[in-house]
Amino acid sequence: MVWRIGVDSGGTFTDVCLFEETTGEVKIWKVSSTPDDPSRGITQGVEEGISEVGTTAAEVAFLGHGTTVATNALIQGRGVQTGLITTDGFRDLLEIGRQKRPDLYDIQADKPDTLVSRDLRIGVKERVLSNGETEISLDEEEFRSAVRELKKAGVKSVAVCFLYSFLNSEHEAIAGRILEEEFPEAFSALSHKIAPEFREFERLSTTVVNAYLGPVMKGYVNALSGKLKNLGISVAPQLTQSNGGVIGFDAAADLPVRTVLSGPSTGVVAAQAIGRMTGIENLITFDMGGTSSDVALLTGGKCQVVNESVVHGYPIKAPMLDIHTVGAGGGSIAYVDNGGFLKVGPRSAGANPGPSCYGLGNPEPTVTDANVLLQTQNPKYLLNGRMKIDQDLSRAAIQTLADKLGMGVLETANGILDIVAANMAKAIRVISVQRGHDPREYTMVAFGGAGPVHAARLAKELGMKRILIPRTPGVLCALGLLMTDLRTDFSSTQLTRLDEASADGIGEIYAALEAKAYAWFDSEGIAPQAQQISRTVDVRYAGQNYEISVPVQAGTVTAATFAAIEEAFLNAHRQLYGFIAEGEPVQMVTFRLAASGLVEKAQFQPAEIEGPDSSAAITGSREVWMMEAGGFVTATLYDRARLKAGNVVNGPAIIDQMDTTTVVPMDTTATVDAYLNLMLEAK
């Protein structure tokens, strides 16, 4: 037997999905995460998962991994002491930024901490002009002196970002050579390698973030690689990038900035695959875990890739799936603010001590405690009995909150769930309504350990009528690792008016990017038949400050290529902003190329439809608080593993499985499709 393994390391649980290539058998496993050293939880999960399916490490043909290590290190400020060397006179750019407050109308809002203190930011003499010509050559002795100064200060990492290095990287290349000579033990990040694009502040921020996280990711990757080898796994592990593709561990260690959305990106990849299987093209993904919730919009079966985002206040120029995150998860803590109002999150109880019901010493109520008290989740245990919990501890924690609010304990618990639903609905409106899409025209794909618990309440808030719950929703991000390809991205900024563009000139730009892509294919050993290239370009009206990425046809660049670019841009601009500016010149800004190495993926075959009778899956009943009734009702309990294709479940019902719980409200019907997904539809 040959097994492929996907592992997703979250803030509360580490999820493992095992897929047998020959039979198509799927097995899942969950263990508690180990935030102090995530590699321990991952190794434990892989070892227990292998044991559970009765195989050996030698039969593992692929191991993919999604991680929040880089994200958490950035959010919690646990990167390394970093130095910065930049063009003389521009060392304060990192702090000045775009001179914008985080919130325009909040004079108390704090800017994120600057990742490099001013005493560790050094300017050196050099200057490249906006046309790429060198005006002042790099003063190599001054640069060498700056490196020695940073070394003496004890930095572990050095970022180098010179003006216009994306047009002419000669000075940064010299800087890299000097760093290797003077300070080889330091992690180094050169902006022309990290983000070879225009906008100096964003490029600088991205380079600094990469330097700040580099040693953290390198240490993590080395530790995990060693532990996996000790288990006997011989295949080279892969790590997910924010763009939904995977790269080798070594590449991830060098470019940690490309992994800040490593965890949630594969859930979107899996949702895309489910959309293809079921024939549903317009989807909104809702991934609710223990710490946060991630949402994304899929139109025509695809999630848009954005090339710039802000993560915890830090601008990052790197290709990412367009995922929006809010601090609302099962472990999110509920509290009363200074104004006497009930609030939930973003602070989380995490895996340890976790929610109050875990009995590990947390006295504060969480979203999970509210579900346990209202019995939408099992009040006695989680993970099919592997993890005992205590409902009385949940009641005591929420009672403390209820006393402060002057409310009943059950009403307070229901209020916690209402607030969480409102927070998540706001996140979905950001990616849909604010961009010209009506969520009522989409199907919600709910996953993550807590997603199916809250999906119906959230869908009602948004007016959505249909919810798809995947076969293994609690570990869908891990499953997504078995459905993705190797991928990397290349870019080149060349500001060019569309009506003045030369077909030969633009063709040369893409030819240079393709040369880099084929060099990458060779380095990764990707066979010619598995190589795939796609092209896009960022376009705007001349004078605009924001671009829209549009596809570029394959093949030779011609006048027809430019016409197609303009048409795609105008359509996208109308969709996003509601208008087009007739007669205004259109400008191409950054040319992009995505290189993918196609790999064998998990494939699922449809099951035979066996009819609507679901009585064989009934395991009992329990009293469950239902929002529609405003109190407890008797809900039928079902074991999802016993449900067959074609079975129908009428609410009120609770469908249990090891990795999650699905709540079917009173006015809702759940149908099992041919791929064993649950389709919930309001009556």
Side-chain angles (χ1 to χ4, degrees):
M1 301 180 81
V2 179
W3 290 88
R4 299 171 64 82
I5 300 179
V7 186
D8 178 52
S9 178
T12 305
F13 287 103
T14 294
D15 305 328
V16 182
C17 184
L18 303 99
F19 178 83
E20 209 289 308
E21 290 185 353
T22 306
T23 64
E25 181 182 6
V26 176
K27 293 289 186 180
I28 60 176
W29 196 249
K30 292 174 84 79
V31 297
S32 291
S33 294
T34 51
D36 60 308
D37 178 7
S39 65
R40 284 196 295 109
I42 294 164
T43 308
Q44 177 190 349
V46 171
E47 186 174 23
E48 292 183 8
I50 289 173
S51 175
E52 184 71 10
V53 299
T55 188
T56 65
E59 294 180 313
V60 175
F62 171 86
L63 194 147
H65 167 40
T67 180
T68 56
V69 167
T71 316
N72 292 341
L74 183 61
I75 291 172
Q76 298 169 16
R78 292 190 291 103
V80 302
Q81 188 177 35
T82 302
L84 168 64
I85 304 176
T86 188
T87 305
D88 190 30
F90 287 85
R91 70 171 181 162
D92 290 327
L93 176 62
L94 187 64
E95 201 148 5
I96 295 171
R98 292 288 173 191
Q99 301 185 55
K100 292 181 181 178
R101 293 199 299 272
D103 191 321
L104 183 60
Y105 299 105
D106 183 359
I107 61 175
Q108 304 296 328
D110 294 326
K111 292 175 64 176
D113 293 336
T114 304
L115 298 181
V116 183
S117 59
R118 195 168 193 270
D119 60 308
L120 298 178
R121 304 197 298 260
I122 302 174
V124 296
K125 292 183 180 63
E126 71 85 39
R127 179 58 67 93
V128 172
L129 301 178
S130 60
N131 59 6
E133 293 180 2
T134 300
E135 182 180 58
I136 302 173
S137 296
L138 174 65
D139 187 326
E140 296 187 27
E141 285 306 312
E142 186 180 13
F143 185 87
R144 199 176 294 272
S145 176
V147 172
R148 291 170 181 168
E149 184 178 338
L150 292 176
K151 182 176 182 179
K152 185 177 179 181
V155 305
K156 305 295 183 185
S157 187
V158 179
V160 179
C161 185
F162 295 146
L163 290 181
Y164 297 106
S165 60
F166 65 92
L167 292 175
N168 182 344
S169 60
E170 180 183 356
H171 290 174
E172 284 194 3
I174 295 171
R177 174 178 55 78
I178 294 173
L179 271 168
E180 187 61 33
E181 293 170 359
E182 294 285 344
F183 200 1
E185 64 272 28
F187 183 93
S188 62
L190 308 176
S191 76
H192 76 278
K193 292 185 176 180
I194 307 300
E197 301 178 22
F198 86 143
R199 292 203 171 99
E200 68 277 13
F201 169 59
E202 288 76 12
R203 179 162 49 88
L204 172 61
S205 173
T206 305
T207 306
V208 167
V209 168
N210 197 83
Y212 181 74
L213 299 176
V216 175
M217 181 62 81
K218 193 173 284 287
Y220 167 73
V221 162
N222 290 340
L224 180 57
S225 296
K227 289 174 181 176
L228 292 174
K229 285 180 181 178
N230 290 338
L231 282 182
I233 293 177
S234 57
V235 294
Q238 307 287 336
L239 194 123
T240 325
Q241 301 176 91
S242 305
N243 60 17
V246 293
I247 51 175
F249 268 25
D250 290 342
D254 290 334
L255 288 169
V257 75
R258 292 197 175 188
T259 69
V260 291
L261 291 182
S262 170
S265 67
T266 48
V268 175
V269 171
Q272 290 179 158
I274 290 170
R276 289 193 296 270
M277 284 191 299
T278 59
I280 303 173
E281 291 191 334
N282 293 337
L283 302 167
I284 290 177
T285 66
F286 166 48
D287 175 7
M288 185 176 181
T291 305
S292 62
S293 294
D294 305 295
V295 298
L297 184 86
L298 279 64
T299 301
K302 292 184 179 181
C303 180
Q304 183 181 356
V305 175
V306 295
N307 299 300
E308 184 180 318
S309 187
V310 177
V311 179
H312 197 61
Y314 301 103
I316 291 177
K317 271 189 162 300
M320 303 180 186
L321 293 178
D322 192 6
I323 298 171
H324 190 67
T325 302
V326 291
S332 294
I333 293 172
Y335 64 98
V336 177
D337 70 5
N338 292 335
F341 294 99
L342 178 63
K343 296 288 182 69
V344 182
R347 195 162 56 92
S348 173
N352 190 350
S356 295
C357 60
Y358 285 14
L360 298 177
N362 171 36
E364 298 180 284
T366 67
V367 173
T368 294
D369 291 307
N371 279 305
V372 168
L373 182 59
L374 299 178
Q375 301 195 153
T376 42
Q377 286 185 257
N378 192 300
K380 296 181 180 179
Y381 56 78
L382 302 175
L383 305 181
N384 271 2
R386 286 172 47 214
M387 186 175 182
K388 302 297 182 183
I389 58 174
D390 189 336
Q391 187 186 44
D392 290 338
L393 293 176
S394 293
R395 182 183 299 276
I398 296 175
Q399 184 67 61
T400 302
L401 203 60
D403 292 343
K404 292 180 182 179
L405 294 166
M407 295 171 58
V409 66
L410 296 176
E411 289 76 14
T412 301
N414 187 62
I416 291 171
L417 301 188
D418 278 343
I419 290 171
V420 166
N423 290 342
M424 295 180 295
K426 181 180 178 181
I428 288 177
R429 290 188 181 103
V430 167
I431 62 164
S432 58
V433 176
Q434 291 186 18
R435 299 177 187 178
H437 302 277
D438 188 344
R440 293 172 296 182
E441 298 174 357
Y442 286 71
T443 297
M444 178 187 293
V445 182
F447 54 98
V453 181
H454 295 263
R457 187 182 289 248
L458 175 58
K460 188 168 186 177
E461 178 86 10
L462 292 162
M464 300 177 71
K465 299 298 184 184
R466 190 162 63 165
I467 304 166
L468 189 155
I469 311 290
R471 179 180 176 184
T472 57
V475 297
L476 196 72
C477 288
L479 177 62
L481 281 154
L482 307 180
M483 297 178 167
T484 190
D485 296 309
L486 290 164
R487 172 171 167 162
T488 194
D489 297 86
F490 303 95
S491 61
S492 176
T493 295
Q494 302 281 345
L495 275 69
T496 310
R497 273 183 52 157
L498 192 62
D499 57 359
E500 298 174 353
S502 157
D504 290 341
I506 303 305
E508 288 175 5
I509 293 172
Y510 278 117
L513 295 177
E514 288 176 4
K516 293 180 180 179
Y518 286 116
W520 177 76
F521 287 142
D522 290 341
S523 68
E524 293 289 338
I526 298 170
Q529 65 271 20
Q531 297 173 5
Q532 188 175 83
I533 285 176
S534 62
R535 306 187 300 194
T536 59
V537 62
D538 296 349
V539 188
R540 66 185 184 185
Y541 284 118
Q544 276 187 319
N545 202 33
Y546 298 96
E547 297 81 46
I548 298 174
S549 186
V550 300
V552 177
Q553 299 168 351
T556 303
V557 176
T558 64
T561 306
F562 296 145
I565 289 172
E566 183 173 24
E567 182 181 6
F569 167 70
L570 296 178
N571 290 337
H573 197 282
R574 185 183 289 107
Q575 168 74 40
L576 189 58
Y577 298 113
F579 74 98
I580 59 173
E582 295 282 359
E584 289 295 321
V586 174
Q587 186 180 52
M588 297 181 290
V589 178
T590 300
F591 300 85
R592 303 183 184 278
L593 185 144
S596 300
L598 307 183
V599 300
E600 290 292 328
K601 301 178 183 67
Q603 301 288 336
F604 297 94
Q605 300 301 320
E608 184 177 344
I609 301 296
E610 298 194 19
D613 184 11
S614 59
S615 58
I618 295 175
T619 60
S621 65
R622 74 166 177 259
E623 297 299 300
V624 176
W625 179 287
M626 288 285 176
M627 179 177 62
E628 297 76 16
F632 283 100
V633 299
T634 301
T636 307
L637 304 181
Y638 291 83
D639 179 356
R640 183 161 184 185
R642 299 185 198 172
L643 289 172
K644 307 296 183 183
N647 284 183
V648 176
V649 172
N650 292 307
I654 298 292
I655 302 175
D656 286 317
Q657 58 191 104
M658 189 276 286
D659 53 321
T660 193
T661 297
T662 300
V663 176
V664 184
M666 299 169 63
D667 56 352
T668 301
T669 297
T671 304
V672 184
D673 74 5
Y675 293 95
L676 303 184
N677 301 304
L678 289 173
M679 190 66 73
L680 276 62
E681 296 185 86
K683 295 178 181 176

